[in-house]
Amino acid sequence: MDDYKSNNFVEKIMVQAKDLELSCLIIDLSGVPSIDTMMTNELFQVVTMLELLGIDTTITGIRPEIALTAVQLGIDFSKIRTYGKLKDAVSDLLHIR
C-alpha cells in the first residue's frame, strides 16, 4: 500500500462502514509486504475512528515490518485486537457473536 493506493483510504472505509451498518470489521494485512509510516499511521487512525462509531475492528496478518513501523510511531495496541491469521480472527468472531 502506497500513497497512490491509499488515496481517500480513510474516507472510503468510513463511508462504506456506515453504509453497510457494520458492527465489526477485520482488516487483513497478510498480503501487504510493507507500508510506509504515513499509511501505517492512517490505518491505525481508521481503527480509532471506527471505534468511535461503535465498530469493533480487528487487524490480522501484521508483518514484522509493519509492526516495527507501528511501534516506532508510538501506536498504542492495547485497545486493538490483532491476530496472526485471518482464520483465527474469524473463528473467534464467530464464537463471540
Side-chain angles (χ1 to χ4, degrees), residues 26-61:
I26 298 174
I27 299 174
D28 181 38
L29 300 176
S30 59
V32 179
S34 66
I35 57 177
D36 62 23
T37 55
M38 184 177 148
M39 189 61 200
T40 301
N41 191 48
E42 225 173 74
L43 174 65
F44 286 94
Q45 286 179 352
V46 166
V47 172
T48 302
M49 288 180 225
L50 290 169
E51 181 182 320
L52 290 171
L53 295 177
I55 299 170
D56 183 30
T57 306
T58 300
I59 299 178
T60 63

